[in-house]
Amino acid sequence: MKLANPWKQNPWFETVAVAQERARKRLPAPVYGALIAGSERGQTVEDNQRAFTELGFAPHVAGHRPERLMGRTVLGQEVSLPVLISPTGVQAVHPEGEVAVAKAAASRGTVMGLSNFASKSVEEVTATGAPTFFQMYWTGQRDVMIQRMQRAHAAGAQGLIATLDWSFSMGRDWGSPEIPEKVDLKTMVRFAPKVATKPRWLWEFGRTGTIPDLTTPNLQAPGGEAPTFFGAYYEWMTTPPPTWEDVAWMAAQWKQLSGKPFILKGVYRVDDARRAVDAGVDGISVSNHGGNNLDGTPATIRAVRPVSDAVGGQITVLLDGGIRRGSDVVKALALGADAVLIGRAYLWGLAANGQAGVENVLDVLRSGIDSALLGLGLASIDELRPEHLLIPDGFDRAVAASLASV
């Protein structure tokens, strides 16, 4: 028998900010804290959003176009809007986790990014029909990495994302959210006081007969058990950091195996972008890991124009970090990004209302893109240029190639 939701309310929200507030009210404090946390003082998290407010528009009063187009082809995938799902780990904010997100991506015509730290397997996610880019960290031995690539390819992944910009600095001035090694009876008793205050979240899991899953099935070795998130983290900590030769090897292995695009996530500097081209990547994401990396790294929107000017004619340039509204997407595209990736925004939608909440977030962004194009008098995102923005002097921050370290 299907249980009726005793907390059912109007599920629709009109902004990502409302989705965030609903997620805050619904989730236990440690879970919500994990979604908003940034490293050290949180300077980068703040600048990722603040920088967008420094960019302005000069809208037209007449001559608006009756239709605005926002579809394009990104890394071989036709998308209905230039907003892709960024891979994020262990989506225990909702029982369906990454499967719900993938269904929403398929429904709204965009690409699903799936972390190898995800709580759902690559096979479950690709079965939704969403075009999926599988994400890998540089962890484990090379033969293990190849095995993971083979599994992703066999499951139907349409691209591989390599993420290198993680955990250079993890201390948080306000304290890191407590995440258990695994969810068992002892853990549930210890977290009971915090979880009991969020009955709607408990009810969502209770009606499915599940508990939050903190294992990482995409890192499961053949015949073995899926490691916990912290087991996966230990593997990362004990793997020597990659060189540019390692990046080139990874790109070559994936493309030889699948013939599909290889994307490098975590690029900020112009010299790194050029090295990525030399390493054979098909696309890069200008990213500071949402502020969960080296604090003090400026907002990614400050770097996207110099990076795009340097390599945009050779590879696809994506941006992630701080996207909260459709106008942010338009600003990123005007400065040279081909598309953007969202992370926290869809996680808040997932927490607020599952698959429908993620769809709601994508609809909010689509509407905002349309409104910005309308105000600018443009008929397509393909017409966006820096000239459509009011850009203050000194806005760009990307490090030039002349300052490259050796």
Side-chain angles (χ1 to χ4, degrees):
M1 182 178 70
K2 185 176 181 179
L3 297 177
N5 186 346
W7 296 279
K8 189 173 183 179
Q9 58 181 351
N10 180 9
W12 184 82
F13 43 83
E14 62 179 345
T15 67
V16 172
V18 174
Q20 180 181 358
E21 178 60 14
R22 291 191 184 179
R24 185 189 68 80
K25 291 180 177 179
R26 180 181 292 265
L27 296 174
V31 180
Y32 179 71
L35 294 189
I36 64 172
S39 61
E40 296 185 334
R41 74 178 68 185
Q43 179 180 342
T44 297
V45 173
E46 293 176 2
D47 197 45
N48 269 352
Q49 295 183 66
R50 181 176 58 244
F52 281 104
T53 70
E54 298 176 20
L55 298 170
F57 293 119
H60 289 289
V61 70
H64 298 149
R65 310 298 289 272
E67 295 181 357
R68 278 80 56 192
L69 303 178
M70 60 188 77
R72 65 174 26 162
T73 301
V74 180
L75 292 162
Q77 299 299 314
E78 292 186 10
V79 294
S80 67
L81 76 168
V83 179
L84 316 182
I85 298 295
S86 184
T88 62
V90 188
Q91 296 174 12
V93 300
H94 188 274
E96 294 184 355
E98 294 85 357
V99 169
V101 177
K103 289 178 179 177
S107 171
R108 294 304 185 261
T110 192
V111 170
M112 171 69 183
L114 178 69
S115 173
N116 65 353
F117 281 17
S119 60
K120 304 293 183 184
S121 72
V122 63
E123 291 83 6
E124 290 177 279
V125 168
T126 55
T128 66
T132 301
F133 289 173
F134 184 68
Q135 177 260 5
M136 288 178 56
Y137 291 99
W138 181 264
T139 62
Q141 299 298 317
R142 285 191 173 191
D143 59 339
V144 173
M145 296 183 206
I146 291 174
Q147 182 270 323
R148 290 169 182 164
M149 292 183 204
Q150 291 171 336
R151 178 180 173 184
H153 173 56
Q158 296 299 306
L160 188 76
I161 301 173
T163 301
L164 307 183
D165 66 324
W166 184 49
S167 298
F168 297 155
S169 178
M170 285 298 289
R172 297 182 172 98
D173 288 2
W174 53 87
S176 296
E178 184 179 4
I179 302 174
E181 171 72 13
K182 60 182 178 179
V183 179
D184 52 17
L185 181 60
K186 182 179 179 180
T187 302
M188 288 189 285
V189 170
R190 182 161 58 90
F191 278 82
K194 296 177 180 179
V195 174
T197 62
K198 304 295 180 180
R200 286 183 293 178
W201 187 73
L202 275 176
W203 180 88
E204 285 287 349
F205 281 93
R207 73 187 183 92
T208 62
T210 62
I211 59 175
D213 189 356
L214 301 182
T215 60
T216 55
N218 293 311
L219 296 180
Q220 182 174 357
E225 294 184 357
T228 65
F229 177 85
F230 287 101
Y233 184 78
Y234 176 78
E235 183 183 78
W236 177 83
M237 289 288 290
T238 56
T239 302
T243 64
W244 281 107
E245 289 73 21
D246 291 328
V247 174
W249 172 84
M250 196 176 192
Q253 291 295 318
W254 170 253
K255 291 199 282 187
Q256 180 180 357
L257 171 69
S258 69
K260 304 294 184 182
F262 179 89
I263 304 100
L264 181 63
K265 188 173 183 289
V267 176
Y268 190 90
R269 299 168 57 119
V270 168
D271 53 327
D272 278 356
R274 287 177 172 149
R275 284 173 171 168
V277 173
D278 292 340
V281 310
D282 301 293
I284 59 174
S285 178
V286 180
S287 171
N288 51 36
H289 213 103
N292 281 296
N293 187 15
L294 188 60
D295 198 31
T297 306
T300 51
I301 190 66
R302 301 187 189 280
V304 72
R305 179 165 57 164
V307 168
S308 178
D309 287 348
V311 301
Q314 303 169 73
I315 58 175
T316 297
V317 176
L318 308 175
L319 173 140
D320 73 80
I323 298 291
R324 300 291 185 270
R325 45 194 63 82
S327 59
D328 296 340
V329 179
V330 167
K331 291 172 182 177
L333 268 58
L335 291 179
D338 295 296
V340 305
L341 294 157
I342 59 171
R344 288 183 174 94
Y346 79 77
L347 288 174
W348 291 327
L350 178 65
N353 196 28
Q355 176 186 340
V358 180
E359 292 171 348
N360 196 156
V361 165
L362 291 169
D363 291 344
V364 165
L365 296 178
R366 184 190 300 276
S367 177
I369 296 169
D370 185 71
S371 294
L373 292 176
L374 175 64
L376 293 170
L378 303 179
S380 169
I381 58 173
D382 294 334
E383 299 175 7
L384 285 165
R385 300 290 184 273
E387 292 73 25
H388 293 113
L389 304 180
L390 304 176
I391 307 171
D393 292 340
F395 180 80
D396 296 336
R397 296 284 198 280
V399 177
S402 61
L403 300 182
S405 58
V406 295

